[in-house]
Amino acid sequence: NAGVMQNPRHLVRRRGQEARLRCSPMKGHSHVYWYRQLPEEGLKFMVYLQKENIIDESGMPKERFSAEFPKEGPSILRIQQVVRGDSAAYFCASLMGVNTEAFFGQGTRLTVV
Amino acid sequence: DQQVKQNSPSLSVQEGRISILNCDYTNSMFDYFLWYKKYPAEGPTFLISISSIKDKNEDGRFTVFLNKSAKHLSLHIVPSQPGDSAVYFCAASGDTSGTYKYIFGTGTRLKVLA
């Protein structure tokens, strides 16, 4: 899964600041998923994107959270006005198409202080 | 609404023996299933997958079994090795609500004792 690059690996933000998490999918992959993992919990689906399109954002909070996957460049998960409860590990996964293996990045650990 | 469930949070197995990890799902639209292994502070690593047209898939020490009527899948690791100690997640995918989301279980922590 080294092919999926996430940065930064660690991000510290004060309450009220913005957090931007980046995900570069594997070469040739046009599907990206974002997941959130809280301590001692499983992976919670947030959003599913294809190039320039949001396919399913049913797992993403309606406020403060947004995601994009532009034609050029990485996918971005943006959290505005962060709160302590946003502290978690955020993982992205890329895949070539539906019902194929999803490959994960190393994650971004967001800490809100 | 937990559509994919791993009811055993942890499992301990002696080195060399078989590890069996279980996963249940509720949505009959799921037609593709995967297992991932996760070490602390790392991303999940893909292990093995199975399509609903099969009931078994094998890759080296790892075998996944699918029982569609029971909506149950299991991962067998034999022989288990200390390096297999990790958290294992099962995931399911299918045309649910018009999109192909990959839904994960809550994980089972496997400890292989030397």
Side-chain angles (χ1 to χ4, degrees):
Chain A
N1 63 2
V4 178
M5 303 301 294
Q6 286 189 251
N7 66 81
R9 288 292 306 275
H10 301 274
L11 182 61
V12 179
R13 284 288 178 266
R14 295 186 185 280
R15 279 178 293 169
Q17 289 185 319
E18 179 181 285
R20 278 186 179 238
L21 289 65
R22 294 175 192 79
C23 170
S24 296
M26 286 181 70
K27 190 174 181 180
H29 287 192
S30 59
H31 300 241
V32 166
Y33 291 82
W34 284 93
Y35 290 84
R36 176 164 67 176
Q37 186 180 28
L38 295 168
E40 304 302 319
E41 291 191 11
L43 296 157
K44 297 289 188 187
F45 167 80
M46 297 183 74
V47 62
Y48 166 28
L49 308 114
Q50 291 182 28
K51 281 286 186 181
E52 299 185 273
N53 288 305
I54 297 174
I55 306 302
D56 186 329
E57 56 182 348
S58 59
M60 206 150 67
K62 294 282 186 280
E63 296 178 354
R64 302 188 298 108
F65 285 73
S66 62
E68 62 176 11
F69 189 15
K71 188 176 179 181
E72 301 291 337
S75 175
I76 306 286
L77 178 66
R78 184 180 174 208
I79 311 172
Q80 294 178 292
Q81 299 174 327
V82 295
V83 301
R84 288 232 170 95
D86 297 332
S87 295
Y90 292 83
F91 294 97
C92 81
S94 78
L95 53 160
M96 201 172 297
V98 296
N99 283 7
T100 62
E101 294 85 357
F103 294 91
F104 280 82
Q106 296 280 59
T108 293
R109 275 143 194 87
L110 172 66
T111 302
V112 179
V113 296
Chain B
D1 176 24
Q2 190 67 32
Q3 296 186 67
V4 179
K5 299 177 185 177
Q6 293 177 256
N7 291 318
S8 298
S10 63
L11 174 69
S12 290
V13 170
Q14 212 56 43
E15 181 180 6
R17 307 295 289 268
I18 184 171
S19 295
I20 300 177
L21 298 103
N22 294 302
C23 180
D24 298 293
Y25 61 96
T26 57
N27 195 326
S28 57
M29 296 301 292
F30 289 144
D31 58 5
Y32 186 64
F33 305 89
L34 311 93
W35 283 95
Y36 286 82
K37 177 167 76 172
K38 188 181 182 301
Y39 294 118
E42 292 186 14
T45 302
F46 170 76
L47 277 176
I48 192 168
S49 63
I50 187 166
S51 163
S52 61
I53 61 172
K54 293 184 172 183
D55 53 20
K56 177 183 173 181
N57 189 25
E58 192 172 350
D59 184 1
R61 296 187 297 116
F62 302 92
T63 303
V64 56
F65 295 92
L66 175 63
N67 182 333
K68 288 187 289 292
S69 60
K71 294 191 178 69
H72 177 84
L73 65 155
S74 60
L75 175 69
H76 292 208
I77 308 172
V78 57
S80 301
Q81 300 172 353
D84 295 330
S85 297
V87 178
Y88 288 78
F89 292 97
C90 67
S93 169
D95 188 3
T96 61
S97 308
T99 67
Y100 280 83
K101 290 198 288 277
Y102 285 64
I103 305 297
F104 282 78
T106 51
T108 296
R109 186 178 302 275
L110 173 67
K111 192 170 184 180
V112 180
L113 307 168

